[in-house]
Amino acid sequence: AQRVTQPEKLLSVFKGAPVELKCNYSYSGSPELFWYVQYSRQRLQLLLRHISRESIKGFTADLNKGETSFHLKKPFAQEEDSAMYYCALKTGGGNKLTFGTGTQLKVEL
Amino acid sequence: GAVVSQHPSRVICKSGTSVKIECRSLDFQATTMFWYRQFPKQSLMLMATSNEGSKATYEQGVEKDKFLINHASLTLSTLTVTSAHPEDSSFYICSARDRITGGTDTQYFGPGTRLTVL
């Protein structure tokens, strides 16, 4: 069965410091990975997906199949990055998303 | 951008009553909608996949007769919690799938509905 693990419930960094939110997955097929973000009092929204190989709001994430990881990174954290981040896995051929438990990122001044 | 709405945003009901939650895609057609449940400080758990014009597909452990899903049109899916009990109290979130040109699809999430059963 597929599973997404986000080991950190809370990550606190200072403004300007690098950020890495960890995500590991377990899936026997070809995975499709996403990062979703939920800002305070707002709905869940897509941040980025691995197949697009894009950088959104300075965030990047590389799929590492050898380590089954899809860590989210940003070189310099901004205060507005404070939010809840969820890693999600879409199984091949299906439309269902399996979410990790989320990591609360807090950027302090 | 694509917007998904949910109604109501918050509902309080008595034990034993039924509650209907609506999920609408406002500016796109959604052949597939998803219903999730989120407990406090926990992740989203997929309950069921709702396909327009056909029966919903429920995840293992989710009672079909308890959580009735109707996807009557390309812009509306409803979740009815029947004979609600306090343990059904939770945050229910829907998402709608919009197929973007090129084959990649994206799920857009509603703001959620907070259900409290007394």
Side-chain angles (χ1 to χ4, degrees):
Chain A
Q2 59 270 20
R3 186 168 63 242
V4 177
T5 303
Q6 292 180 251
E8 303 142 327
K9 285 190 175 181
L10 173 66
L11 181 64
S12 187
V13 301
F14 287 106
K15 180 181 174 181
V19 174
E20 183 178 53
L21 300 171
K22 290 184 167 51
C23 171
N24 287 90
Y25 67 91
S26 174
Y27 180 58
S28 57
S30 180
E32 190 172 341
L33 277 298
F34 303 80
W35 276 100
Y36 281 83
V37 61
Q38 187 169 28
Y39 299 103
S40 179
R41 301 182 192 279
Q42 294 186 30
R43 69 189 65 196
L44 202 63
Q45 57 185 286
L46 178 66
L47 180 63
L48 55 79
R49 70 191 94 196
H50 91 267
I51 59 173
S52 300
R53 303 183 69 81
E54 57 204 342
S55 173
I56 303 294
K57 298 183 179 182
F59 284 98
T60 58
D62 293 317
L63 177 62
N64 185 323
K65 291 187 177 181
E67 296 182 359
T68 60
S69 68
F70 187 57
H71 304 327
L72 183 68
K73 299 178 184 179
K74 184 169 182 176
F76 308 104
Q78 302 297 315
E79 192 179 358
E80 56 266 28
D81 296 329
S82 294
M84 191 73 172
Y85 291 80
Y86 292 95
C87 183
L89 165 69
K90 189 174 95 167
T91 56
N95 302 311
K96 300 190 297 185
L97 288 175
T98 299
F99 284 87
T101 49
T103 298
Q104 180 73 47
L105 174 64
K106 185 177 179 182
V107 180
E108 299 182 79
L109 299 175
Chain B
V3 178
V4 175
S5 70
Q6 278 184 245
H7 178 80
S9 59
R10 190 181 293 266
V11 58
I12 300 173
C13 69
K14 292 182 178 180
S15 186
T17 60
S18 294
V19 174
K20 180 186 282 188
I21 302 170
E22 293 185 350
C23 177
R24 292 181 185 273
S25 57
L26 297 186
D27 49 5
F28 66 99
Q29 293 183 333
T31 53
T32 305
M33 290 183 172
F34 302 89
W35 287 96
Y36 296 85
R37 184 172 179 177
Q38 186 177 33
F39 291 102
K41 304 195 180 202
Q42 294 189 31
S43 187
L44 287 78
M45 298 296 295
L46 180 65
M47 298 175 64
T49 302
S50 169
N51 296 295
E52 188 268 336
S54 64
K55 291 184 178 180
T57 304
Y58 290 80
E59 294 300 299
Q60 192 173 12
V62 178
E63 298 177 58
K64 300 178 184 181
D65 296 331
K66 175 75 173 176
F67 299 99
L68 300 178
I69 291 173
N70 183 21
H71 194 155
S73 76
L74 286 172
T75 59
L76 173 65
S77 176
T78 60
L79 169 68
T80 301
V81 183
T82 62
S83 187
H85 291 284
E87 56 266 31
D88 299 324
S89 298
S90 191
F91 196 55
Y92 292 88
I93 303 171
C94 75
S95 71
R97 176 173 168 250
D98 180 26
R99 181 170 289 277
I100 303 170
T101 303
T104 303
D105 61 273
T106 298
Q107 285 191 33
Y108 296 95
F109 286 81
T113 296
R114 172 76 59 194
L115 170 63
T116 302
V117 185
L118 302 177

